Amino acid sequence: TWYKGRIYDLENYVPARWEARWNTIVYMDQNRHLRVFRDGENKVLTYDLVEDLELYRDVIVTNKGLNNHNVYYEGKKY
């Protein structure tokens, strides 16, 4: 991806599940951990195993199974 005129390599594969909206790219890595790219930084948001994810603008909603949802905004869990 690119950010402020620079190209960033996020992974060496194309993730099976990813979404991009506004200022955020979020995806599940090969271990089903949630990773996020925002403001030129790629980091693990949570090491919890994630079944599914949704991205609403910059708000990330994860489903860890059995309707166990978590909401993340600007790196904080709500």
Side-chain angles (χ1 to χ4, degrees), residues 49-65:
L49 296 180
V50 175
E51 295 293 326
D52 197 18
L53 66 94
E54 295 292 329
L55 182 62
Y56 304 96
R57 295 191 183 197
D58 288 333
V59 177
I60 302 163
V61 180
T62 65
N63 183 354
K64 296 189 324 184

Side-chain angles (χ1 to χ4, degrees), residues 22-64:
W22 290 58
N23 303 310
T24 305
I25 298 172
V26 63
Y27 62 95
M28 287 188 283
D29 67 12
Q30 292 176 327
N31 297 317
R32 288 189 2 228
H33 299 147
L34 194 66
R35 295 190 64 92
V36 62
F37 177 82
R38 181 183 290 145
D39 298 327
E41 185 178 353
N42 185 16
K43 63 182 178 178
V44 174
L45 186 61
T46 180
Y47 287 103
D48 294 340
L49 296 180
V50 175
E51 295 293 326
D52 197 18
L53 66 94
E54 295 292 329
L55 182 62
Y56 304 96
R57 295 191 183 197
D58 288 333
V59 177
I60 302 163
V61 180
T62 65
N63 183 354
K64 296 189 324 184

Side-chain angles (χ1 to χ4, degrees), residues 1-11 18 20-25 27 36-42:
T1 188
W2 59 270
Y3 175 73
K4 291 191 176 184
R6 286 189 53 202
I7 296 174
Y8 293 84
D9 290 326
L10 301 182
E11 299 290 343
W18 65 275
R21 304 265 190 288
W22 290 58
N23 303 310
T24 305
I25 298 172
Y27 62 95
V36 62
F37 177 82
R38 181 183 290 145
D39 298 327
E41 185 178 353
N42 185 16

